[in-house]
Amino acid sequence: MAGVMVFFGLFLLTSVVFGMLTSFGMEDAPPTLSAARRQLHLIVVIEILDAALVAAALFTVARPLRRPALVQLPPALLWAGALAGVFALVAVNATYHEVLRLYLATQPARDAIVSAIGITPLVVFAYCIQPAIVEELFFRYLALDTLRGVMSVHQAVFISSLMFGMAHVGVPLSVPMLILVGVPLAYARVWSGGLALPMAMHFLHNAIIVLMD
């Protein structure tokens, strides 16, 4: 458990550095095209560093015990229900950020980078592919499964989701929503017994958000 927390601390550090370099997402004015590209490149650099941290964790932290699926449902039914639930999660996410935009006047209605650059392969990688793979490996495999060895499933789901949200402290206003997003992803892991379902849900959630922007 100590090893997982060390790497979680490093995740927090990279997020704080990113937040410091991007004003913690509090800039009101949309960036210029060149500034948006620089910010996207910064995101990619941070994500490459995060991927290196997860790779190091996989090689150095004791692997959690392999656990069977928590529920016995036909895979087709489990996947259909989980992926359909992503759309409800997206609706909650969009509503949450719209409320922030209206009442706090600190975030633009659209993602500034996507608005300036559009949906490019690099945007898809940074927003959808890398998080769906790297974050799921750490938070829904190493963290969640390790926590399940020392506490109940529901406690482990909550704590790992809290860790997931806090790891995005570089965009602090999004942390509460990301904690909420982490809960169904964690249950998808324990219900299915694998990472494919939470990875697919994570990718789909982020992809829909990008398309909406």
Side-chain angles (χ1 to χ4, degrees), residues 27-39 108 111-116:
E27 295 178 344
D28 292 327
T32 63
L33 179 59
S34 60
R37 285 174 175 164
R38 286 195 299 270
Q39 190 165 335
D111 183 275
I113 293 176
V114 176
S115 298

Side-chain angles (χ1 to χ4, degrees), residues 142-186:
L142 287 178
L144 175 60
D145 284 8
T146 299
L147 288 166
R148 289 180 68 187
V150 296
M151 60 184 66
S152 72
V153 170
H154 303 301
Q155 289 173 327
V157 165
F158 174 75
I159 297 298
S160 64
S161 300
L162 181 63
M163 292 169 64
F164 174 66
M166 291 303 301
H168 296 81
V169 70
V171 281
L173 293 179
S174 295
V175 167
M177 185 64 223
L178 288 169
I179 294 172
L180 179 62
V181 169
V183 172
L185 295 178

Side-chain angles (χ1 to χ4, degrees), residues 181-207:
V181 169
V183 172
L185 295 178
Y187 276 116
R189 163 65 173 161
V190 299
W191 287 342
S192 68
L195 286 170
L197 182 55
M199 283 182 177
M201 293 173 66
H202 198 153
F203 176 88
L204 181 61
H205 172 272
N206 290 15

Side-chain angles (χ1 to χ4, degrees), residues 95-107 173-174:
T95 301
Y96 171 80
H97 285 93
E98 183 66 13
V99 170
L100 288 181
R101 185 187 71 83
L102 291 174
Y103 290 95
L104 300 182
T106 55
Q107 294 197 357
L173 293 179
S174 295

Side-chain angles (χ1 to χ4, degrees), residues 57-148:
L58 289 171
F59 279 102
T60 60
V61 174
R63 299 289 182 89
L65 294 176
R66 184 178 179 86
R67 301 178 185 278
L70 190 64
V71 297
Q72 299 299 320
L73 290 175
L77 180 61
L78 181 61
W79 275 72
L83 296 180
V86 170
F87 290 93
L89 197 59
V90 167
V92 174
N93 195 340
T95 301
Y96 171 80
H97 285 93
E98 183 66 13
V99 170
L100 288 181
R101 185 187 71 83
L102 291 174
Y103 290 95
L104 300 182
T106 55
Q107 294 197 357
R110 302 178 63 197
D111 183 275
I113 293 176
V114 176
S115 298
I117 298 175
I119 302 176
T120 67
L122 191 57
V123 166
V124 173
F125 169 80
Y127 281 60
C128 305
I129 297 175
Q130 191 274 357
I133 297 173
V134 174
E135 293 179 359
E136 293 308 306
L137 280 170
F138 186 80
F139 292 103
R140 255 63 70 177
Y141 172 54
L142 287 178
L144 175 60
D145 284 8
T146 299
L147 288 166
R148 289 180 68 187

